[in-house]
Amino acid sequence: MQTTATLVATDETDRLIAADKVVGTSVYNLRSEHLGSIYSLMVDKISGQVAYAVMSFGGFLGIGESYHPLPWRVLKYDLRMGGYVVDLDRRRLEGAPSYSASSLPDWSDREYGHRIDDYYGVPPYGI
Amino acid sequence: MQTTATLVATDETDRLIAADKVVGTSVYNLRSEHLGSIYSLMVDKISGQVAYAVMSFGGFLGIGESYHPLPWRVLKYDLRMGGYVVDLDRRRLEGAPSYSASSLPDWSDREYGHRIDDYYGVPPYGI
């Protein structure tokens, strides 16, 4: 019984995390290659659901960095890796919707989100 | 038709927000009294659902401030107010589960979350 309770508690520990701590978490692909890290979370104000996690990729100290919004549902948290794992090789990542610090996307354009969802083959968010 | 499209676009604009922008958003009660502001979001790592929003309350420049975790579902975003509205008078807020910077809660204790849910009369999170 004690063992079960401990396992449950551990699961809970790993379950809730402050949003500002998600930022900076590493993202890997299925080959355990480091792809980037979480830069920000786009949250649905009404439902409280994280719709997109924006991954930063490449660059050095923010220079030359690109930002890839990923639908939350393509990210799987991997307790063993201590980060998110996504089924995405580098080549596919390079062709994915992305932006730079000097070309921020217009999140108010619903087509923008839909292009992201399309690319990753998930149902359009918010429909 | 154009009007409808514009309304939809506006709705979308107001729908997604970066998590770090939610932080700092004002929280009001039904009488439009300012109760506090969002200090942090506790996110479910697996589902991406915001489980609790921690509201900071009182104090000055962080001194004497108290932190009240609120179940996300008790917060309603009010476009007119430009903030969250919660059905909670000050007295009820003062009796609610809270902590100070020197007594951080143990989020790994599932009972902690359940006490919050209980207080606000919402179903226990994560069950």
Side-chain angles (χ1 to χ4, degrees), chain A residues 21-73:
Chain A
K21 297 237 167 115
V22 176
V23 170
T25 302
S26 289
V27 181
Y28 302 94
N29 64 17
L30 295 181
R31 293 174 180 181
S32 301
E33 293 173 329
H34 186 262
L35 297 177
S37 57
I38 303 294
Y39 176 76
S40 71
L41 300 178
M42 298 300 295
V43 177
D44 185 308
K45 271 189 189 177
I46 310 298
S47 69
Q49 176 67 41
V50 175
Y52 303 99
V54 180
M55 182 176 73
S56 62
F57 170 59
F60 181 66
L61 299 178
I63 301 163
E65 210 166 34
S66 65
Y67 302 96
H68 288 70
L70 304 170
W72 179 265
R73 65 187 87 185

Side-chain angles (χ1 to χ4, degrees), chain B residues 12-65:
Chain B
E12 289 285 309
T13 309
D14 293 320
R15 188 153 181 184
L16 292 180
I17 185 169
D20 57 350
K21 298 238 168 115
V22 176
V23 170
T25 302
S26 289
V27 181
Y28 302 93
N29 64 16
L30 295 182
R31 292 174 181 181
S32 301
E33 292 172 330
H34 186 263
L35 296 177
S37 57
I38 304 293
Y39 176 76
S40 72
L41 300 178
M42 297 301 296
V43 177
D44 185 310
K45 271 188 187 176
I46 310 299
S47 70
Q49 176 67 40
V50 176
Y52 303 99
V54 181
M55 181 177 73
S56 62
F57 170 59
F60 181 66
L61 299 177
I63 301 162
E65 210 165 34

Side-chain angles (χ1 to χ4, degrees), chain A residues 4 8 16 59 66 69 72 74 98-100 109:
Chain A
T4 307
V8 169
L16 292 180
S66 65
W72 179 265
V74 307
S98 69
Y99 59 92
S100 69
D109 174 11

